[in-house]
């Protein structure tokens, strides 16, 4: 594949994740408000703050490319977030709510981990070390968030069983 094709893909995917991050940023406070456990609410609030920084990193990469900061509607994240919204509605005030919220949030994290992994690989190919570093920082935050959610999921299930 020619370098030019990868750079077009890179910009397109950057717009996709930029749109996704902004949607996630809007959704996290709603998920935090819905969460029954303090631990889960705190995790969502923490990731909301992190997401703000992740959006700023993406804006820096648009600048590096000398391109306008622009999102592009991402159907994948719309679908994942809509499923989360359905869970919040259908399982409101039930003991399963937090388990459902955790599952929805982990689906979001896995989508992001996939996107950032790809973008990092493409930035490497395009010889953009500064972008690689920014993407790597975000990738690590997403992975740590996913791990934290996994741990909460285990303790939530254990608490349910008790
Ligand atoms: Fe993110």
């Amino acid at each position: 594949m020619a370098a030019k094709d990868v750079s077009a893909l890179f910009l397109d995917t950057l717009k996709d994740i930029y749109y996704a991050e902004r949607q996630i940023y809007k959704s996290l406070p709603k998920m935090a408000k819905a969460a029954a456990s303090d631990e889960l609410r705190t995790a969502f609030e923490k990731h909301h703050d992190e997401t703000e920084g992740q959006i700023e990193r993406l804006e820096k990469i648009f600048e590096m490319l000398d391109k306008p900061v622009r999102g592009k509607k991402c159907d994948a994240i719309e679908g994942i977030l809509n499923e989360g919204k359905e869970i919040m509605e259908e399982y409101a005030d039930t003991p399963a709510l937090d388990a459902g919220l955790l599952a929805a949030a982990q689906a979001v994290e896995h989508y992001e981990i996939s996107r950032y992994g790809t973008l990092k690989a493409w930035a490497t190919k395009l010889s953009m070390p500064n972008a690689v570093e920014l993407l790597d920082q975000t990738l690590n935050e997403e992975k740590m968030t996913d791990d934290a959610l996994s741990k909460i999921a285990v303790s939530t299930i254990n608490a349910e069983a008790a």
Side-chain angles (χ1 to χ4, degrees), residues 7-106:
S7 71
L9 264 174
F10 182 78
L11 180 61
D12 234 28
T13 307
L14 199 67
K15 290 177 182 173
D16 171 292
I17 194 70
Y18 186 71
Y19 177 92
E21 289 289 14
R22 288 173 62 103
Q23 295 304 114
I24 294 162
Y25 187 73
K26 279 193 253 172
S27 297
L28 279 165
K30 293 172 199 163
M31 293 169 78
K33 205 178 161 205
S37 95
D38 291 340
E39 200 184 7
L40 184 54
R41 188 177 325 107
T42 305
F44 285 153
E45 284 167 355
K46 180 180 177 230
H47 196 51
H48 185 247
D49 288 345
E50 278 176 349
T51 301
E52 199 174 349
Q54 295 177 351
I55 289 170
E56 282 167 16
R57 286 189 197 118
L58 292 172
E59 288 168 353
K60 280 187 197 149
I61 299 173
F62 279 107
E63 272 173 39
M64 286 173 192
L65 293 167
D66 218 6
K67 297 285 182 194
V69 175
R70 196 166 292 162
K72 180 182 171 191
K73 188 170 184 283
C74 166
D75 291 327
I77 203 71
E78 291 278 327
I80 293 169
L81 290 173
N82 278 336
E83 280 185 7
K85 216 174 132 199
E86 274 172 34
I87 287 168
M88 281 191 268
E89 287 163 8
E90 288 170 24
Y91 291 88
D93 304 317
T94 76
L97 177 65
D98 277 6
L101 283 172
L102 277 157
Q106 286 198 273

